[in-house]
């Protein structure tokens, strides 16, 4: 099942309010989730962090510099639900 983000709002610090298409909503703190290295380095600056956008095609959040975050990871962070498995299971 897809976990598309339909709303994002920056809050204080490095926190973001997120709402998903199934109605789940919550707040994540990026400072606890990502290291501000590589593509995330510019987001240390508040002005860059505030430029967060919603990519409606993929249901993900992103920034103009190319940084993005997987909506499944964010959904899991908010709900505590396990990430979907990508390992095939044997049937038999």
């Amino acid at each position: 099942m897809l976990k598309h983000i339909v709303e994002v709002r920056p809050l204080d610090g490095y926190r973001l309010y997120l709402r998903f298409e199934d109605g789940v909503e919550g707040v994540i703190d990026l400072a606890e989730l990502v290291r501000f290295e590589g593509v995330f380095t510019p987001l240390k600056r508040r002005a860059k962090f505030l430029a967060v956008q919603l990519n409606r095609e993929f249901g993900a959040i992103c920034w103009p510099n190319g940084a993005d975050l997987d909506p499944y990871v964010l959904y899991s962070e908010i709900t505590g639900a396990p990430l979907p498995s990508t390992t095939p299971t044997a049937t038999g």
Side-chain angles (χ1 to χ4, degrees), residues 70-91:
D70 186 320
Y72 287 101
V73 171
L74 300 174
Y75 192 89
S76 177
E77 284 291 318
I78 288 173
T79 65
L83 290 170
S85 174
T86 57
T87 306
T89 58
T91 58

Side-chain angles (χ1 to χ4, degrees), residues 19-20 27 30:
R19 185 170 54 88
F20 292 82
V27 174
L30 253 57

